[in-house]
Each structure stands twice: as C-alpha cells, then as structure tokens.
Amino acid sequence: MKVKKGFRLVLLSNLELQIISYIFGNIVQLAILELDE
Amino acid sequence: MMSFLQKLFGRLANPSKRKKALLIVSGLCITAGWSINLLGNSAGLFNTLMIMSALVAEVEIARRAWQGLKNRHTNIDLLVTIAATGGIAIGVYWEAAAVTTLFLLGGWLEAQTMGKTRNTLRDLISMAPDTALVVENNKLLELPAGEVKEGMLVLIKPGSQIPVDGIVESGTTTVDESAITGEPIPAEKKPGSDVYAGTINQNGSIRVRARNAGSDTTLAKIIRRVEEAQDEKAPTQRFIEQFAQWYTPGIVGLSIASYLFTRDLELALTLLVIGCPGALVISTPISIISGIGNAAKKGILIKGGEYLENAGKVSAVALDKTGTLTLGKPKLTEFICLQREKVGAGIAEVQQSDDEISVVSASDLERQGWPDEVTELLYWAGIAESTSEHPLAGAILSEMPDSLDLPQADYFKSHTGLGIEAAYKDNQILVGNAKFLKQRAVPIAEDFNGELEQLASLGRTTVLVARNGMLIGGIGLADPVRPEAREMVQKLKDSGIEQVAMLTGDRQSTARAVAAETGIMEIHAGILPEEKNDFIRRMKEKGKQVAMIGDGINDAPALATADIGIAMGAAGTDVAIETADIALMSDKLLNIPESLMVSKMTLRNIRQNIVIALITVAALLGGVFMGSIHMAAGMLIHELSVMIVILNGMRLRML
C-alpha cells in the first residue's frame, strides 16, 4: 500500500507538476520569440 | 486504400509529424473519455479511453527511452515510461494518460521553440523572392529564382526584393542591405556594383547580371553557416553533457542508497525527481543560441559555440592595416618622377636623366593636365599592374588617363608582400616597395629616399617603378583611415583588451601615421604574411588569447593561426565566410568590439546559468536531507530554476 501511495505521489503527481512547468517554460520561450520579432 | 495507408505511414516516418499525430490521437482519447464521464457514468469506457491515450503517447516516449538506454543514457523519457506503465499497472489510468500526453505536448512545444529560434534568423534573411524577372531577347520572363543561371540578365523593379546575387549592369538605385550586412543605411548601387539576394531595391529600376542563384547565394551560405553554428557545441556544453551523463546515474544511486539507509521511500523518490539536472543541461545551449542569434541580427556571423566562448576570452587583438583600419580604396596622391623624356605614342626610347627629381601632386594634375613624365610612369606601372588583383593595382589602373592605351604584359609574376615583376617586349618592369627593388639590385638614390620618407610620414604608401634595372619613379597612394577606427580602438581598450597591435606590410612611417590617427600604440610594419603569422604565434605562446582581424584573403594564414579570426566585409567573399571564425558582413569597424562584447556577455550568461542550476540542485538536495523541503515545494523550486535559466539566456537576444 505504501509503495502504491509513493508511486502515485512521486512518479505521477509530481512528474505531472514537472511536466506542466516544462510546458510552461516552452510557452514562455515561444512568447519571447514572438515578441522578439 | 493501399495508397492512403502508404501515405499515412510515409507521414508517420517523419518524427515531428508522428509526434504531432500521436499527440492529437492521445489528446482526443482523453477528451472523449472525459466527455463520456460527464454525460453518463461509464467507468469502463472512461478507463479504456484513458489506457488507449496513455499507450498511444507512450509508444513515442518509450522508443526514446529505449534509444537512450541503448546509448547508456538514462533520461526523463525513461522516468515517464516507468511512471505510465506503473500507473496502468496499479490502476490509475487518468494519471497515466495525463502524464504521457502532457509530456508529449511539452516535447512538441519544445520542438516548436527550437524551430522558432532558427526561424527568427531565417525570417530575417529569407526574404529572397521565389521568382525572378529575366530579360531575354527584350522579353520579360518570370522564372523560379533557383533556376536563374549565371550570366542571365534580371530586371529588379523599385521596391522589390533582389532574387539573385549579381552585378548591376544598368541603372542606379539604393539598396537596403541590412538583411546581409546589418547596416541600416541603404547602399548606393550603380553599374558594376555587387548586389545580393534577399536585399531590397529601393528607388530605382536596375538590371542585374546574375552570378549566383538559389542555394549558392551569399544569403543561403549565411543561413547554412548560422544553422551549423547553432548546432556546434561549445566546450562548456560538451563538458556539461558529459557531466550530466554521470550525474543522472549518480542521483539514482544516491536515491537507492538513501532508501536502503532510511527505509523512507518518499525521501528516496523525492531525491530522484528533484535531482534532475534540467537547468544545468539547458544552461549553455540556450545562451549560445541566443548569443549567436543576437550577433547575426547585427551582421556578425559567429561560426559556432566554440568560437563564441573563445572570443569571450580574448585578451589581445591584432589588426591588419589596409582594408581593415583604412578604407582599402587607395587614391593616387603624388608622383615622383626621375626622367623627363617624352613618351610619344607609348613606347619610346627613354634616357635616364641626371637624377633630377620632380614631385607632382595629383590635385595639381587635375588643374594642369597630365605631364609626360607622369604619363610615362603610369604607363609602365599600368602594364605590370593590369593583371594584378592587389588593391593598389586597382587604384593605379582606375586613374590611368583614357588616352593611354595599355598593352598586355608578356610575362607577369606577383611576389606577395613585395611587388610585381613583368615583361613587355624588351622591357623588364618591376613595380613594388623599396625592399623589393633593393632585392633586385635596383639602385635608389639618396634624395629619392628622402622623398619617400617624407611621403611616408604623411601616411602615404609609395609604389616604386623600375624599368630594365633603373628606377624611373614612384607613385604615392593614400588609403584614408576609416572614420570610426579611433572609436573602435578605444572601445577595445575599454572592454579590457590588454594589447592592440597593428600588423602591416607597409613601411614603418606610413604605419605610424595611421597609428597616430587611430590611437594604436603597437606597430609591426614592413612584415610579410608569414611574419604576421609568426607574430600571432608568439603572442599565443605568451599565453594571450589572440584575435586577428583582417580582410580575409591575404590575412588568411594569420586568421587561421589566431585563436579567433575575424574577417571584415565578408559579404560576397566566400573565402572570408569559409575561413574566419567570425565574419563581419559589413565594413562597420565598430562590429569588432561589438562581437567581442556579445561573446563576453554570452560567456558570462553561461556561467550565471551554471551557478543558478548548481546552487538550486545543491540547496534542494540539502533541504531534502534535512527534511525541510518536501516533494511539491522542491519540484516547484526546481522548475523555477529552469525558468530563470531560460529567461536569463533569452535576455541575450535583447542586447
């Protein structure tokens, strides 16, 4: 049970957070490039 | 049906199209799943759609993870694959679908960003129109620009973009060349001027004889070079990638070890995720791409990350004189004549006079017409120089009086850094510097030397002319110093360059006059191209990081020996684009300190990024071990550091 909880916590919820900021980072970069033009 | 499938698979073989297709399918599955879930209570269908979504997205991610493993790399794709597979195994289908689909979306966005970075540059210079108006037998033909052949005559209307590289045959106009040279002031064009594809014709209609079209144009070469440059890795980047290769397994080891010691699974997993070196890996490429892009906009072509890093460390600068510090377009100023016999129709028997010297200034000539002794001097110099490509030869030939009909030399040999020997009928002609004539045992009288010294002290270059072993006179030429030269030298000094030296094949006194005008303290005059090379080598041996700045062709060896070779006015000269590490597309001298400044800023930016990345990871790991930082906060701080690094790198574009 503990393993299942840990797995959900880390490899899913937090990975999701990491991926969302990765997406956000790329959106910001795209926006800057757009402004740059 | 078969052809549809073939087409589909063909499209899917292209990685970016495949990624997009998988992303769409996986996204549609999720949308459908949630819609069904909202409409009715059908858990079975919802879960099926989520599993489908996760699997579809995972195909691509697992493939990359496997590729990484084959190359002994552990990457984030592996982490996501494990997470999604595990998620499906323990029955959290929606999370598995969300993680994989979002990750795929992130990857797609990243590819867009990288493509956009390149496109910014491409847009900037890919203004070349697709078609060209070719004039053939007095008819206008519209051809695709790439199909224009060398020698075709192309009509360029006012306001339109020039489709090919070529030479203006008729008409005058001004052309906005900022796309290639970064120079905002339009250049005037008249018959004989070079024009480049991608530049904009402003007010006149011109006809251009095509030289290069399509992928052979200067523009296309610049694009290719910059693209290659952005891919080329800087030493720091290589180091960091090697570091990351050891770092990731190191973090995995640390996480396993901490679990074995503490039996705290959450701590172990937190370490695993937080330790990800994302900010570190992105720190160098983001700065390099931004730095090179910024420089390219100003007409400075930096060949790669390696050169950008080296240029940022430059401590000594060696400058060529002719064409770099000066305009490189010498004008005839004085004639020193030793004989006064009439030339007649051209070749006459001329007697050596009794060393009587007359100095005629070119400005007097315009008033009084050409005296015979000057015509005589120009005649012999002209025969020898007519086959030479030296800038001084161009100056002499361009001021040849129209009445003088120059015959072709029977024999011609150029001695780099010295002069030219030529033969015509029974006449042996030598044209060159005093060193050259002395080598050939041509006697130079004492008072003639005095005249030479006096001209040299005015910054003149004197070309001596001898015929059949006898000196017949000298031609004084002045090459005006570029107006911004002094400011450029001052800026170099201000930016912390310890040593600024001038290297020239010209004589000491001429060099001194130019040095006085530009504020350069160190002069190495009267040296040959090989000696320039030796000088650079000696400076390097003294531990200096040396930049050599020249106009590309005769300075080629020194440009190659220096840590950084910078070529001036490279637009149109392939040699410069190919051999120099940094090519300045315009003749704007101030781009030299500018390019060193951009390099320095980039280097500083990389260092800042590395410090940000390392401090964040170290602080987070410390916090996790002390128990004061938990997963969610740690992740947020970690991602924030990635963002700061990205933003810091992008700052370089705004300089």
Side-chain angles (χ1 to χ4, degrees):
Chain A
M1 203 56 211
K2 207 178 168 189
V3 172
K4 196 172 168 179
K5 197 181 157 213
F7 193 84
R8 268 187 89 154
L9 183 74
V10 177
L11 285 181
L12 293 171
S13 308
N14 291 291
L15 202 56
E16 234 168 77
L17 179 65
Q18 187 174 354
I19 292 167
I20 287 169
S21 32
Y22 168 56
I23 291 173
F24 184 56
N26 276 307
I27 291 174
V28 171
Q29 272 202 67
L30 269 171
I32 291 174
L33 286 170
E34 204 68 55
L35 282 177
D36 212 21
E37 280 174 27
Chain B
M1 185 65 190
M2 272 310 281
S3 75
F4 170 75
L5 283 178
Q6 269 173 353
K7 223 172 171 180
L8 184 71
F9 283 117
R11 279 176 80 87
L12 290 183
N14 176 331
S16 85
K17 283 184 180 150
R18 186 175 58 230
K19 221 178 275 174
K20 200 169 155 187
L22 292 177
L23 178 62
I24 292 171
V25 172
S26 146
L28 282 176
C29 287
I30 291 181
T31 322
W34 278 110
S35 310
I36 287 166
N37 199 40
L38 284 176
L39 288 174
N41 199 2
S42 169
L45 199 52
F46 174 79
N47 285 342
T48 315
L49 282 166
M50 290 305 157
I51 294 171
M52 267 173 68
S53 162
L55 289 179
V56 164
E58 214 184 323
V59 170
E60 180 67 20
I61 303 167
R63 200 181 54 81
R64 282 207 304 259
W66 174 238
Q67 266 175 358
L69 277 180
K70 272 201 296 193
N71 296 320
R72 296 170 191 226
H73 283 295
T74 46
N75 49 23
I76 184 150
D77 301 81
L78 183 65
L79 210 59
V80 175
T81 310
I82 296 171
T85 315
I88 294 172
I90 61 168
V92 283
Y93 307 122
W94 151 236
E95 270 94 343
V99 163
T100 48
T101 311
L102 285 177
F103 185 65
L104 217 53
L105 175 67
W108 181 75
L109 277 171
E110 191 182 357
Q112 293 298 106
T113 318
M114 294 309 269
K116 192 95 183 162
T117 315
R118 275 148 202 266
N119 282 345
T120 324
L121 180 88
R122 204 176 260 272
D123 285 349
L124 209 72
I125 43 186
S126 72
M127 294 181 300
D130 298 334
T131 57
L133 284 175
V134 175
V135 186
E136 231 174 49
N137 303 327
N138 281 332
K139 274 190 197 144
L140 275 183
L141 251 139
E142 192 163 351
L143 282 185
E147 286 178 19
V148 176
K149 298 269 175 309
E150 190 184 335
M152 281 184 172
L153 197 59
V154 181
L155 174 73
I156 294 139
K157 293 179 179 169
S160 67
Q161 286 151 348
I162 298 176
V164 293
D165 282 2
I167 297 165
V168 178
E169 185 132 315
S170 63
T172 55
T173 186
T174 52
V175 172
D176 175 1
E177 293 192 323
S178 56
I180 292 209
T181 62
E183 183 66 60
I185 302 161
E188 285 188 23
K189 300 288 171 185
K190 53 179 195 276
S193 311
D194 287 316
V195 291
Y196 307 110
T199 57
I200 303 162
N201 179 22
Q202 292 194 317
N203 43 25
S205 179
I206 50 171
R207 285 171 180 225
V208 170
R209 188 65 70 185
R211 208 176 47 221
N212 296 311
S215 59
D216 293 330
T217 60
T218 302
L219 179 79
K221 275 184 199 129
I222 296 174
I223 298 174
R224 273 204 297 277
R225 274 287 160 194
V226 175
E227 283 181 355
E228 282 166 25
Q230 290 189 331
D231 281 340
E232 204 173 294
K233 283 174 186 166
T236 312
Q237 192 174 349
R238 279 198 291 269
F239 168 74
I240 286 177
E241 281 179 8
Q242 271 172 355
F243 175 76
Q245 214 176 316
W246 291 103
Y247 178 86
T248 315
I251 289 288
V252 174
L254 186 71
S255 147
I256 293 171
S258 70
Y259 177 72
L260 292 178
F261 277 111
T262 60
R263 296 278 155 188
D264 183 346
L265 187 69
E266 196 176 328
L267 173 77
L269 291 171
T270 309
L271 276 179
L272 195 64
V273 177
I274 282 179
C276 164
L280 192 65
V281 171
I282 203 171
S283 61
T284 314
I286 192 96
S287 305
I288 298 265
I289 286 185
S290 301
I292 289 179
N294 174 295
K297 274 199 283 186
K298 294 175 176 152
I300 303 166
L301 179 53
I302 302 175
K303 292 280 194 66
E306 186 169 353
Y307 308 115
L308 194 72
E309 270 200 59
N310 286 343
K313 295 177 195 152
V314 164
S315 59
V317 170
L319 292 141
D320 166 53
K321 181 179 77 69
T322 313
T324 304
L325 285 169
T326 64
L327 288 170
K329 286 179 189 124
K331 286 196 159 16
L332 303 195
T333 45
E334 287 91 7
F335 304 93
I336 319 173
C337 303
L338 275 176
Q339 54 189 24
R340 330 181 116 242
E341 288 294 318
K342 205 168 160 34
V343 191
I347 328 139
E349 267 314 303
V350 185
Q351 316 262 308
Q352 186 79 20
S353 73
D354 306 329
D355 280 355
E356 196 177 324
I357 302 175
S358 62
V359 179
V360 187
S361 105
S363 51
D364 290 343
L365 282 181
E366 279 164 25
R367 284 197 298 274
Q368 300 162 2
W370 297 81
D372 294 335
E373 63 265 34
V374 171
T375 318
E376 170 73 18
L377 193 60
L378 280 174
Y379 176 78
W380 294 112
I383 294 176
E385 299 275 20
S386 57
T387 4
S388 165
E389 281 168 8
H390 197 273
L392 292 184
I396 293 173
L397 292 172
S398 68
E399 300 206 22
M400 212 45 81
D402 295 338
S403 54
L404 210 59
D405 197 13
L406 286 182
Q408 194 82 43
D410 301 326
Y411 164 78
F412 168 87
K413 189 167 186 234
S414 168
H415 299 265
T416 315
L418 294 168
I420 294 162
E421 64 174 304
Y424 173 64
K425 295 199 169 158
D426 292 334
N427 302 286
Q428 296 297 322
I429 315 163
L430 297 175
V431 180
N433 54 23
K435 201 172 176 180
F436 181 50
L437 268 70
K438 272 179 204 155
Q439 267 184 17
R440 299 307 179 93
V442 175
I444 300 172
E446 200 57 39
D447 30 353
F448 192 91
N449 262 330
E451 290 294 342
L452 287 184
E453 276 308 317
Q454 188 160 5
L455 285 183
S457 67
L458 297 171
R460 306 281 194 265
T461 303
T462 319
V463 174
L464 305 187
V465 185
R467 188 179 138 245
N468 293 335
M470 289 291 207
L471 186 65
I472 58 172
I475 301 171
L477 296 115
D479 187 7
V481 170
R482 289 179 194 274
E484 70 274 25
R486 194 178 185 91
E487 191 187 345
M488 185 270 299
V489 172
Q490 193 54 46
K491 280 203 165 157
L492 284 178
K493 288 179 184 164
D494 291 347
S495 70
I497 304 291
E498 301 155 9
Q499 192 180 4
V500 180
M502 183 207 297
L503 309 183
T504 175
D506 226 335
R507 44 169 57 222
Q508 186 78 24
S509 32
T510 314
R512 216 176 284 143
V514 174
E517 223 175 301
T518 52
I520 293 178
M521 306 304 276
E522 190 179 336
I523 312 165
H524 299 268
I527 57 176
L528 295 168
E530 305 92 83
E531 291 172 308
K532 286 187 183 177
N533 206 3
D534 291 341
F535 173 78
I536 304 274
R537 201 168 294 138
R538 281 200 301 279
M539 293 227 286
K540 280 172 79 175
E541 280 164 10
K542 282 182 197 159
K544 304 247 185 206
Q545 181 88 9
V546 190
M548 167 76 201
I549 299 142
D551 51 1
I553 297 144
N554 60 345
D555 299 315
L559 287 177
T561 306
D563 296 297
I564 283 293
I566 304 179
M568 291 270 300
T573 54
D574 292 356
V575 188
I577 297 184
E578 297 303 324
T579 59
D581 305 319
I582 297 179
L584 307 181
M585 290 299 131
S586 68
D587 273 341
K588 212 165 127 197
L589 268 189
L590 293 178
N591 269 347
I592 296 169
E594 184 71 33
S595 58
L596 296 184
M597 203 267 294
V598 170
S599 305
K600 274 208 171 86
M601 297 291 286
T602 309
L603 205 57
R604 198 185 304 161
N605 199 275
I606 293 173
R607 288 188 184 134
Q608 287 163 353
N609 283 347
I610 292 173
V611 168
I612 294 169
L614 287 181
I615 286 182
T616 315
V617 170
L620 282 177
L621 290 181
V624 170
F625 273 120
M626 292 195 301
S628 52
I629 289 182
H630 291 283
M631 179 76 80
M635 286 303 306
L636 206 62
I637 296 171
H638 183 275
E639 292 311 311
L640 222 57
S641 77
V642 175
M643 289 288 298
I644 293 171
V645 162
I646 291 173
L647 289 173
N648 191 39
M650 300 302 290
R651 203 166 51 91
L652 284 175
R653 300 188 68 89
M654 317 277 184
L655 283 180

